Amino acid sequence: MSQSSMFPEAGAAPLAYASSLAFVPTRAAALARLDAFAPNMGSLYAKNRNRDDGPADRRYVSCLSPYLRHRLITEQEVIAAALNRFAFSTAEKFIQEVYWRTYFKGWLERRPWVWDLYTDDRDRRLNELSGDQATAYQAAVEGRTGIDGFDAWTKELIATGYLHNHARMWFASIWIFTLRLPWSLGADFFHRHLLDGDAASNTLSWRWVGGLHTKGKTYLARPSNIEKFTNGRFSPSPEDLAKEAPALEDDWNGEPGDPPGDLPLTSRDPAFLLLHEEDLGLETLPVEKARLVGVGLFVDPACRSAAPVGGLVSQFTQGAIDDTRHRAKTVVGCDAVIVPDEDNLLEAVTAAGANTVILPYLPVGPLRGPVARMTGRLAAEGFRVETMLRSHDRHAWPHASKGFFRLKKKIPSLIARERTPSLL
Ligand SMILES: Cc1cc2nc3c(=O)[nH]c(=O)nc-3n(C[C@H](O)[C@H](O)[C@H](O)COP(=O)(O)OP(=O)(O)OC[C@H]3O[C@@H](n4cnc5c(N)ncnc54)[C@H](O)[C@@H]3O)c2cc1C
């Protein structure tokens, strides 16, 4: 089967959705959304965040995830906005959700093999799709299952690049327990179409729904819950949904490795900053002591999967890179260049007169391999390569070893530390 007939959804034309859901891939748009949503980060969010009123009404959730995913804004900035308006106790629920992202990233960082096992499983299953399973898969990714809600979420995901958290949970549950499709193919479908598609949050959320993250604890999508929290927009027949969610099983998790330690920049030599799509937060990177003489940008949204990535994902990522390129001149006073491969990087670093390359920490995920090859080449050519780990991750990841609860208990002290710059 050709790629285009196997994955027709990848090229699907966006449906006409409310303009409120058009994600503009710039830091300015991220800050505007942050500003607009900040008044809702308190009890309004805590009370209503599970409501999915549809793409035309997202007033109860922030829709900041595509920006956080590329760090056009940072977790620290979002949490600060909440605390500038509300007491910690009032904004606690919102802040905890932001820390779920931190938790998943730290958890996967300490078990990188889970990502490798996932990609192996995904690729094998994509290759082996055939017969009834291929038919069921096609129906699911084209929104033709006949299950009320599910088909609409498929189309909404492809058309907007976003789904409400509750819809993601229902979708994943129906995919695994009703349609009995492999979880790794569902995770792949999400990763290819979500603007916020993230190796850690996505893979581990799918594993959580299937009972693989918190061993034995699954999530069952119930018709009454869907009807209630979609305000009656969807009402799947009880006959259409699985009534049980028996936990999937594997032995992937194992014991966590150590989190990365402190990675301070030591070089005071002329340095070239290599930004990648995992962290485009130029304004907040700890580069104040570096002597920057050039900036390069690496982007490769297609590496999210062996199957085609959604057009909106490519557009958003490319747009975020273009925006960062424009901001670089103002923020660090350097013209930024796109460096698609190691030859281009070597050329750009040499032309800038740098002898050091610095880059934001690259978390576990599809970009790590390509960027490691690029920096490996530079190191082999005698350039010094240094990585920066943000204090938010450095302080939180040691607590992301088992369940979320361990990290949750630490949130107040982590925030106190972040708000006292001398402790960072
Ligand atoms: C099956 C499944 C797949 C998911 N895949 C992704 C993914 O690829 N990328 C991703 O960022 N999130 C993912 N999530 C988590 C969550 O659904 C989204 O982060 C959230 O819906 C984004 O919308 P928002 O910005 O309006 O969230 P808000 O409710 O406004 O939350 C604010 C921020 O907190 C973080 N956050 C909130 N909830 C979660 C959560 N449960 N887990 C991790 N971070 C969270 C996000 O960065 C979000 O932008 C997934 C959840 C499920 C159930």
Side-chain angles (χ1 to χ4, degrees), residues 306-349:
V309 165
L312 291 182
V313 168
S314 301
Q315 276 169 33
F316 187 88
T317 313
Q318 191 55 53
I321 289 286
D322 291 344
D323 177 61
T324 307
R325 194 176 178 183
H326 290 125
R327 288 173 11 247
K329 184 80 188 161
T330 321
V331 180
V332 292
C334 299
D335 284 321
V337 290
I338 307 287
V339 284
D341 58 33
E342 53 234 60
D343 289 337
N344 284 275
L345 177 62
L346 186 57
E347 203 177 294
V349 173

Short mmCIF file of all heavy atoms in Angstrom, two decimals, residues 306-349:
data_model
loop_
_atom_site.label_atom_id
_atom_site.label_comp_id
_atom_site.label_asym_id
_atom_site.label_seq_id
_atom_site.Cartn_x
_atom_site.Cartn_y
_atom_site.Cartn_z
N ALA A 306 7.64 7.33 11.43
CA ALA A 306 7.95 6.81 10.10
C ALA A 306 6.79 7.11 9.15
O ALA A 306 6.96 7.16 7.94
CB ALA A 306 8.18 5.31 10.18
N ALA A 307 5.59 7.32 9.70
CA ALA A 307 4.41 7.65 8.89
C ALA A 307 4.33 9.18 8.75
O ALA A 307 4.96 9.91 9.52
CB ALA A 307 3.16 7.11 9.58
N PRO A 308 3.56 9.68 7.76
CA PRO A 308 3.54 11.12 7.52
C PRO A 308 2.97 11.92 8.69
O PRO A 308 1.97 11.53 9.29
CB PRO A 308 2.64 11.27 6.29
CG PRO A 308 2.51 9.92 5.71
CD PRO A 308 2.74 8.93 6.80
N VAL A 309 3.62 13.04 8.95
CA VAL A 309 3.19 13.94 10.03
C VAL A 309 2.16 14.92 9.47
O VAL A 309 2.25 15.33 8.31
CB VAL A 309 4.44 14.65 10.58
CG1 VAL A 309 4.08 15.85 11.44
CG2 VAL A 309 5.29 13.66 11.37
N GLY A 310 1.17 15.29 10.28
CA GLY A 310 0.10 16.18 9.81
C GLY A 310 0.63 17.52 9.32
O GLY A 310 1.62 18.04 9.86
N GLY A 311 -0.05 18.07 8.32
CA GLY A 311 0.39 19.34 7.74
C GLY A 311 0.42 20.47 8.77
O GLY A 311 1.31 21.32 8.75
N LEU A 312 -0.54 20.49 9.69
CA LEU A 312 -0.57 21.57 10.68
C LEU A 312 0.64 21.51 11.61
O LEU A 312 1.16 22.54 12.03
CB LEU A 312 -1.85 21.50 11.52
CG LEU A 312 -3.16 21.83 10.81
CD1 LEU A 312 -4.32 21.76 11.81
CD2 LEU A 312 -3.12 23.20 10.17
N VAL A 313 1.08 20.29 11.92
CA VAL A 313 2.26 20.14 12.79
C VAL A 313 3.49 20.72 12.09
O VAL A 313 4.26 21.48 12.69
CB VAL A 313 2.48 18.65 13.16
CG1 VAL A 313 3.83 18.43 13.80
CG2 VAL A 313 1.37 18.17 14.09
N SER A 314 3.65 20.37 10.82
CA SER A 314 4.81 20.89 10.08
C SER A 314 4.74 22.41 10.00
O SER A 314 5.74 23.10 10.22
CB SER A 314 4.84 20.32 8.66
OG SER A 314 4.90 18.93 8.73
N GLN A 315 3.54 22.92 9.70
CA GLN A 315 3.40 24.39 9.58
C GLN A 315 3.69 25.09 10.90
O GLN A 315 4.37 26.10 10.94
CB GLN A 315 1.96 24.74 9.20
CG GLN A 315 1.65 24.69 7.73
CD GLN A 315 0.13 24.79 7.52
OE1 GLN A 315 -0.58 25.46 8.27
NE2 GLN A 315 -0.35 24.09 6.52
N PHE A 316 3.15 24.54 11.99
CA PHE A 316 3.33 25.19 13.29
C PHE A 316 4.82 25.17 13.68
O PHE A 316 5.37 26.18 14.12
CB PHE A 316 2.49 24.49 14.37
CG PHE A 316 2.51 25.22 15.69
CD1 PHE A 316 1.59 26.22 15.96
CD2 PHE A 316 3.49 24.94 16.65
CE1 PHE A 316 1.63 26.92 17.17
CE2 PHE A 316 3.53 25.63 17.85
CZ PHE A 316 2.60 26.62 18.11
N THR A 317 5.46 24.02 13.48
CA THR A 317 6.86 23.91 13.88
C THR A 317 7.73 24.84 13.04
O THR A 317 8.60 25.54 13.56
CB THR A 317 7.33 22.45 13.73
OG1 THR A 317 6.36 21.61 14.33
CG2 THR A 317 8.66 22.22 14.41
N GLN A 318 7.48 24.84 11.74
CA GLN A 318 8.25 25.72 10.86
C GLN A 318 8.01 27.18 11.23
O GLN A 318 8.94 28.00 11.26
CB GLN A 318 7.87 25.46 9.39
CG GLN A 318 8.80 26.11 8.39
CD GLN A 318 10.27 25.74 8.59
OE1 GLN A 318 10.60 24.56 8.64
NE2 GLN A 318 11.15 26.73 8.75
N GLY A 319 6.75 27.50 11.54
CA GLY A 319 6.42 28.87 11.93
C GLY A 319 7.14 29.27 13.22
O GLY A 319 7.63 30.40 13.36
N ALA A 320 7.21 28.33 14.16
CA ALA A 320 7.89 28.62 15.43
C ALA A 320 9.38 28.87 15.19
O ALA A 320 10.00 29.74 15.83
CB ALA A 320 7.70 27.45 16.40
N ILE A 321 9.95 28.12 14.26
CA ILE A 321 11.37 28.31 13.93
C ILE A 321 11.57 29.68 13.27
O ILE A 321 12.50 30.43 13.60
CB ILE A 321 11.84 27.17 12.99
CG1 ILE A 321 11.90 25.85 13.76
CG2 ILE A 321 13.16 27.50 12.32
CD1 ILE A 321 13.07 25.73 14.72
N ASP A 322 10.68 30.03 12.35
CA ASP A 322 10.80 31.34 11.67
C ASP A 322 10.69 32.47 12.68
O ASP A 322 11.44 33.45 12.63
CB ASP A 322 9.70 31.50 10.60
CG ASP A 322 9.93 30.55 9.43
OD1 ASP A 322 11.06 30.03 9.30
OD2 ASP A 322 8.98 30.32 8.66
N ASP A 323 9.75 32.33 13.60
CA ASP A 323 9.57 33.36 14.63
C ASP A 323 10.85 33.50 15.48
O ASP A 323 11.29 34.61 15.79
CB ASP A 323 8.37 32.99 15.51
CG ASP A 323 8.16 33.98 16.64
OD1 ASP A 323 7.91 35.17 16.33
OD2 ASP A 323 8.27 33.59 17.82
N THR A 324 11.44 32.37 15.82
CA THR A 324 12.64 32.40 16.66
C THR A 324 13.80 33.04 15.90
O THR A 324 14.60 33.77 16.47
CB THR A 324 13.00 30.96 17.11
OG1 THR A 324 11.83 30.39 17.70
CG2 THR A 324 14.12 30.96 18.12
N ARG A 325 13.83 32.75 14.63
CA ARG A 325 14.87 33.35 13.79
C ARG A 325 14.76 34.88 13.82
O ARG A 325 15.76 35.58 13.96
CB ARG A 325 14.65 32.84 12.37
CG ARG A 325 15.79 33.08 11.45
CD ARG A 325 15.46 32.42 10.12
NE ARG A 325 16.51 32.66 9.17
CZ ARG A 325 16.45 32.26 7.92
NH1 ARG A 325 15.41 31.60 7.48
NH2 ARG A 325 17.44 32.52 7.10
N HIS A 326 13.54 35.37 13.73
CA HIS A 326 13.35 36.83 13.77
C HIS A 326 13.68 37.40 15.14
O HIS A 326 14.27 38.47 15.25
CB HIS A 326 11.91 37.19 13.38
CG HIS A 326 11.62 36.94 11.93
ND1 HIS A 326 10.58 36.15 11.49
CD2 HIS A 326 12.27 37.36 10.82
CE1 HIS A 326 10.61 36.10 10.16
NE2 HIS A 326 11.62 36.81 9.74
N ARG A 327 13.31 36.68 16.18
CA ARG A 327 13.55 37.19 17.54
C ARG A 327 15.03 37.20 17.89
O ARG A 327 15.48 38.01 18.70
CB ARG A 327 12.79 36.34 18.57
CG ARG A 327 11.31 36.59 18.52
CD ARG A 327 10.47 35.66 19.40
NE ARG A 327 11.16 34.83 20.33
CZ ARG A 327 11.23 33.49 20.26
NH1 ARG A 327 10.62 32.84 19.27
NH2 ARG A 327 11.87 32.79 21.16
N ALA A 328 15.80 36.31 17.27
CA ALA A 328 17.21 36.16 17.64
C ALA A 328 17.96 37.48 17.50
O ALA A 328 18.78 37.84 18.35
CB ALA A 328 17.86 35.08 16.80
N LYS A 329 17.67 38.21 16.45
CA LYS A 329 18.39 39.46 16.19
C LYS A 329 18.21 40.41 17.37
O LYS A 329 19.17 41.01 17.86
CB LYS A 329 17.84 40.07 14.89
CG LYS A 329 18.56 41.30 14.44
CD LYS A 329 19.85 40.93 13.74
CE LYS A 329 20.69 42.14 13.43
NZ LYS A 329 22.08 41.80 13.18
N THR A 330 16.98 40.54 17.84
CA THR A 330 16.70 41.45 18.94
C THR A 330 17.21 40.91 20.27
O THR A 330 17.80 41.63 21.07
CB THR A 330 15.17 41.65 19.08
OG1 THR A 330 14.60 41.70 17.79
CG2 THR A 330 14.83 42.87 19.88
N VAL A 331 17.00 39.63 20.48
CA VAL A 331 17.28 39.08 21.82
C VAL A 331 18.77 38.87 22.05
O VAL A 331 19.30 39.23 23.10
CB VAL A 331 16.51 37.75 22.04
CG1 VAL A 331 16.79 37.18 23.42
CG2 VAL A 331 15.02 37.97 21.86
N VAL A 332 19.46 38.28 21.08
CA VAL A 332 20.89 38.02 21.31
C VAL A 332 21.79 38.77 20.33
O VAL A 332 23.01 38.62 20.35
CB VAL A 332 21.24 36.51 21.29
CG1 VAL A 332 20.62 35.80 22.47
CG2 VAL A 332 20.80 35.84 20.00
N GLY A 333 21.18 39.57 19.45
CA GLY A 333 21.97 40.41 18.55
C GLY A 333 22.69 39.65 17.45
O GLY A 333 23.68 40.14 16.91
N CYS A 334 22.22 38.46 17.12
CA CYS A 334 22.86 37.68 16.05
C CYS A 334 21.81 37.32 15.00
O CYS A 334 20.66 37.04 15.34
CB CYS A 334 23.41 36.36 16.56
SG CYS A 334 24.65 36.49 17.81
N ASP A 335 22.24 37.27 13.74
CA ASP A 335 21.36 36.71 12.71
C ASP A 335 21.35 35.20 12.89
O ASP A 335 22.40 34.59 13.07
CB ASP A 335 21.90 37.05 11.32
CG ASP A 335 21.62 38.51 10.97
OD1 ASP A 335 20.53 38.98 11.33
OD2 ASP A 335 22.51 39.16 10.39
N ALA A 336 20.17 34.62 12.82
CA ALA A 336 20.09 33.16 12.98
C ALA A 336 19.97 32.50 11.61
O ALA A 336 19.34 33.04 10.71
CB ALA A 336 18.88 32.81 13.83
N VAL A 337 20.59 31.34 11.49
CA VAL A 337 20.51 30.59 10.23
C VAL A 337 19.91 29.21 10.49
O VAL A 337 20.06 28.66 11.57
CB VAL A 337 21.91 30.41 9.57
CG1 VAL A 337 22.44 31.72 9.04
CG2 VAL A 337 22.90 29.79 10.55
N ILE A 338 19.23 28.70 9.48
CA ILE A 338 18.70 27.33 9.59
C ILE A 338 19.84 26.37 9.26
O ILE A 338 20.55 26.56 8.26
CB ILE A 338 17.54 27.10 8.59
CG1 ILE A 338 16.46 28.18 8.73
CG2 ILE A 338 16.96 25.70 8.74
CD1 ILE A 338 15.60 28.09 9.96
N VAL A 339 20.02 25.36 10.11
CA VAL A 339 21.09 24.38 9.85
C VAL A 339 20.45 23.00 9.70
O VAL A 339 20.23 22.30 10.67
CB VAL A 339 22.16 24.40 10.97
CG1 VAL A 339 23.06 25.61 10.81
CG2 VAL A 339 21.55 24.40 12.36
N PRO A 340 20.16 22.61 8.47
CA PRO A 340 19.43 21.35 8.26
C PRO A 340 20.27 20.10 8.53
O PRO A 340 19.70 19.04 8.77
CB PRO A 340 19.01 21.40 6.79
CG PRO A 340 19.69 22.55 6.16
CD PRO A 340 20.37 23.36 7.22
N ASP A 341 21.59 20.20 8.49
CA ASP A 341 22.40 19.00 8.73
C ASP A 341 23.77 19.39 9.26
O ASP A 341 24.09 20.57 9.44
CB ASP A 341 22.53 18.16 7.45
CG ASP A 341 23.15 18.96 6.32
OD1 ASP A 341 24.01 19.83 6.60
OD2 ASP A 341 22.77 18.74 5.15
N GLU A 342 24.61 18.37 9.52
CA GLU A 342 25.89 18.65 10.17
C GLU A 342 26.84 19.47 9.30
O GLU A 342 27.62 20.27 9.82
CB GLU A 342 26.55 17.36 10.65
CG GLU A 342 26.69 16.30 9.60
CD GLU A 342 26.07 14.98 10.04
OE1 GLU A 342 24.85 14.97 10.30
OE2 GLU A 342 26.79 13.99 10.11
N ASP A 343 26.78 19.29 7.98
CA ASP A 343 27.65 20.09 7.11
C ASP A 343 27.31 21.56 7.22
O ASP A 343 28.18 22.42 7.33
CB ASP A 343 27.50 19.64 5.64
CG ASP A 343 28.12 18.27 5.42
OD1 ASP A 343 29.00 17.90 6.23
OD2 ASP A 343 27.70 17.57 4.49
N ASN A 344 26.00 21.85 7.19
CA ASN A 344 25.56 23.24 7.32
C ASN A 344 25.94 23.81 8.68
O ASN A 344 26.30 24.98 8.80
CB ASN A 344 24.05 23.33 7.16
CG ASN A 344 23.64 23.22 5.72
OD1 ASN A 344 23.63 24.20 5.00
ND2 ASN A 344 23.34 22.01 5.30
N LEU A 345 25.82 22.98 9.70
CA LEU A 345 26.16 23.45 11.05
C LEU A 345 27.66 23.79 11.12
O LEU A 345 28.04 24.87 11.60
CB LEU A 345 25.80 22.39 12.09
CG LEU A 345 26.18 22.71 13.53
CD1 LEU A 345 25.45 23.97 14.02
CD2 LEU A 345 25.84 21.54 14.47
N LEU A 346 28.47 22.90 10.61
CA LEU A 346 29.92 23.12 10.63
C LEU A 346 30.27 24.41 9.90
O LEU A 346 31.06 25.23 10.38
CB LEU A 346 30.60 21.91 9.97
CG LEU A 346 32.12 21.86 10.02
CD1 LEU A 346 32.63 21.91 11.46
CD2 LEU A 346 32.62 20.58 9.34
N GLU A 347 29.64 24.59 8.76
CA GLU A 347 29.89 25.80 7.96
C GLU A 347 29.49 27.05 8.73
O GLU A 347 30.23 28.04 8.79
CB GLU A 347 29.04 25.69 6.69
CG GLU A 347 29.53 26.48 5.51
CD GLU A 347 28.62 26.19 4.31
OE1 GLU A 347 28.62 25.04 3.82
OE2 GLU A 347 27.90 27.11 3.93
N ALA A 348 28.29 27.01 9.35
CA ALA A 348 27.78 28.19 10.05
C ALA A 348 28.63 28.51 11.29
O ALA A 348 28.92 29.68 11.57
CB ALA A 348 26.33 27.95 10.47
N VAL A 349 29.04 27.48 12.01
CA VAL A 349 29.84 27.70 13.22
C VAL A 349 31.20 28.28 12.84
O VAL A 349 31.70 29.22 13.47
CB VAL A 349 30.00 26.36 13.99
CG1 VAL A 349 30.97 26.51 15.15
CG2 VAL A 349 28.66 25.87 14.50
#
